[in-house]
Amino acid sequence: MHVRINDIVEVMSGDDAGKTGKILKVIPKKQKAVVEGINYILKHVKPSQKNPQGGRVQKEAPMVVSNVLVVCPNKSCTKYNRGVRTRMKLLDNGNRVRACVKCGHEIIVTV
Ligand SMILES: [Zn+2]
């Protein structure tokens, strides 16, 4: 998986192409992720305490992660705030982090 929870990603194809959102959940087994505000579906729900009327609620559906790219947070990057491919970068302390392939900026998830 090239995306993690709290990543900001850009959708590269489909109805939501060009939109950005935050990863809320990743489902590695299915290679899918739930992205905030993206891929809304209408879900039919039975009445419950939380939702006494029941009916239809809008909810983000998991989407295939191959359709999203992490955005580059570097303002001086040509791809600033756009989806970029990432590569692994080895830090001096031995940690490996993802970095933008365009500018080399490290993409670190802050929770
Ligand atoms: Zn960049």
Side-chain angles (χ1 to χ4, degrees):
M1 297 285 278
H2 65 289
V3 294
R4 313 217 175 122
I5 286 174
N6 288 321
D7 274 350
I8 305 297
V9 295
E10 181 182 2
V11 182
M12 305 314 287
S13 62
D15 292 342
D16 290 311
K19 290 184 190 170
T20 56
K22 187 167 83 171
I23 301 269
L24 299 177
K25 189 180 177 187
V26 289
I27 309 157
K29 270 186 183 169
K30 293 184 174 174
Q31 291 288 301
K32 284 185 171 184
V34 176
V35 187
E36 192 171 38
I38 307 286
N39 202 27
Y40 272 116
I41 50 154
L42 278 175
K43 194 178 180 185
H44 297 264
V45 290
K46 287 181 184 152
S48 65
Q49 273 194 334
K50 200 177 155 193
N51 186 355
Q53 289 290 313
R56 299 180 304 179
V57 290
Q58 277 206 318
K59 196 176 186 302
E60 293 101 337
M63 60 184 300
V64 181
V65 291
S66 59
N67 284 347
V68 304
L69 287 176
V70 183
V71 306
C72 181
N74 178 10
K75 285 196 174 69
S76 55
C77 180
T78 53
K79 288 278 195 176
Y80 170 60
N81 222 19
R82 308 300 298 177
V84 289
R85 286 189 300 120
T86 56
R87 59 183 172 79
M88 295 309 289
K89 184 174 173 181
L90 190 64
L91 298 181
D92 292 340
N93 64 12
N95 287 342
R96 283 154 58 88
V97 295
R98 292 167 305 168
C100 171
V101 291
K102 292 279 177 191
C103 67
H105 188 86
E106 291 150 24
I107 296 169
I108 296 164
V109 181
T110 48
V111 178

